[in-house]
Amino acid sequence: MLDEEILQLLRESPSSFLSGEEISRRLDVSRTAVWKRIEHLRTVGYEIEASTRKGYRLIRSPDLLTPSEVRPFLGTKWMGTTIHHFHLIDSTNSKAYELALNGAEEGEVVIAESQKKGRGRLGRQWLSPLFSNLYLSVILRPEIPPYQASLVTLMAAVATADAIRKFSGLEPLIKWPNDILLKTKKVAGLLNEIHSEMDRIHFMILGIGVNLNMDRKMFSKEIREGATSLKIEMGQSISRKAFLQCLLQELEKWYEIFLKEGALPVLKTWRELAQIKGRPVKVTSFGETLVGVAIDVDPDGALILKTEQGERKRVVAGDVEYQAKNVVL
Ligand code: BT5
């Protein structure tokens, strides 16, 4: 908190020095405390010029995702108004869940620079190295029946893919239920969790991980072939702040569209971005494997496929592998 307040003061006078005495007076802390926090800010990447007579001046901020770095540029109406920021955390989803249980409001966001136990679906792990990517969880409290929750998942996939498309000019593909691919490699994953009663959602957590500045060697051997980052695909370093801004704007926009206009616009764009119709797929769902051709998603977000035996199946949760070439349906 004190770090944020010091940065705020330094930002207010970008071209002039602010004395340690002035900072300590305005924030009601000792000069030693100010000096210690300035030293800490330097270790996390802030370039702060210090002059014994004149005081301190902020020269450059690192690409950190702290509230004071992020909020002024967000351009959202309500999403991300409150940001909980951590350098290292177990999982942003777990933290957001805990905050939501304790009354956090719709639109509050948890962001981490790295995760110790970044979570994928079904107990899998999400590789979350420091300062490289985006790890965020958004708290939503939609007034919809629980059976519609998977539409919010589709909505989040659409918003994430749309943000990647707008930011990079590349063509992301959504892979059911919620992977985002660039040229067949996974660039982003979503883990959405729900806390509900039979007929009411208390809250949903949209957990989104997007690989932004990871180099190929940073991926573990197991996932290297199947994963990518925006930096790898665009051939340049990515401003995490700028991407976060784009992502939260898209999420806010798509969530409002979903609440106002219902599922149709979300499903329409999901279909465009997933191009799933006619894709030969192998689906693993609750221990069962189905091989067939994808037909569509239904209005509840379930995957519809026609099996090799000609049966029409509806899959509500599972993993999909794409096979060989498309079939014209
Ligand atoms: C997902 O799971 O794709 C959901 C990932 C969600 C991560 C975000 S980060 C912020 C928030 N907080 C969390 O704790 N989680 C969310 P799944 O479909 O199960 O995919 C997991 C699989 O993807 C792993 O088993 C690996 O094979 C692969 N993988 C792991 N880390 C990866 C990475 N950084 N990039 C690409 N693939 C990865």
Side-chain angles (χ1 to χ4, degrees), residues 84 96-106 108 139 141 202-203:
H84 305 266
Y97 205 95
E98 179 192 317
L99 289 166
L101 280 177
N102 286 304
E105 287 178 16
E106 174 153 272
E108 291 193 25
I139 297 168
R141 296 186 180 274
H202 293 295
F203 59 80

Side-chain angles (χ1 to χ4, degrees), residues 49-224:
E49 192 181 348
S51 150
T52 24
R53 279 187 302 117
K54 293 190 269 183
Y56 302 104
R57 185 161 67 129
L58 180 62
I59 306 289
R60 195 164 341 124
S61 301
D63 189 30
L64 279 180
L65 301 175
T66 52
S68 66
E69 289 297 330
V70 162
R71 235 192 270 111
F73 315 101
L74 269 191
T76 53
K77 285 176 277 174
W78 52 270
M79 194 174 279
T81 309
T82 300
I83 292 176
H84 305 266
H85 172 267
F86 300 87
H87 279 274
L88 176 64
I89 199 170
D90 279 355
S91 150
T92 55
N93 262 39
S94 307
K95 187 69 193 175
Y97 205 95
E98 179 192 317
L99 289 166
L101 280 177
N102 286 304
E105 287 178 16
E106 174 153 272
E108 291 193 25
V109 171
V110 178
I111 299 180
E113 304 290 346
S114 65
Q115 300 184 109
K116 259 189 290 186
K117 294 182 188 154
R119 294 196 281 121
R121 295 178 304 126
L122 306 165
R124 291 185 289 237
Q125 285 189 348
W126 187 253
L127 197 63
S128 311
L130 187 66
F131 299 142
S132 305
N133 300 326
L134 190 61
Y135 318 110
L136 107 164
S137 301
V138 182
I139 297 168
L140 295 180
R141 296 186 180 274
E143 290 181 9
I144 55 170
Y147 73 86
Q148 285 188 349
S150 39
L151 286 171
V152 180
T153 296
L154 296 192
M155 179 285 294
V158 163
T160 308
D162 228 7
I164 291 173
R165 178 162 68 175
K166 287 193 176 135
F167 186 85
S168 66
L170 301 170
E171 286 183 24
L173 187 77
I174 299 177
K175 178 159 155 282
W176 187 89
N178 46 12
D179 288 353
I180 315 289
L181 311 180
L182 283 172
K183 293 195 220 127
T184 76
K185 295 183 182 220
K186 183 159 169 170
V187 68
L190 284 83
L191 173 68
N192 297 333
E193 296 178 293
I194 174 170
H195 181 60
S196 74
E197 296 166 27
M198 286 301 283
D199 49 10
R200 188 166 72 104
I201 292 178
H202 293 295
F203 59 80
M204 284 185 78
I205 306 296
L206 301 187
I208 306 176
V210 188
N211 297 331
L212 295 180
N213 284 319
M214 265 171 109
D215 292 316
R216 199 163 294 290
K217 60 180 183 314
M218 292 170 80
F219 290 104
S220 61
K221 270 214 293 299
E222 299 75 48
I223 62 173
R224 196 166 294 154

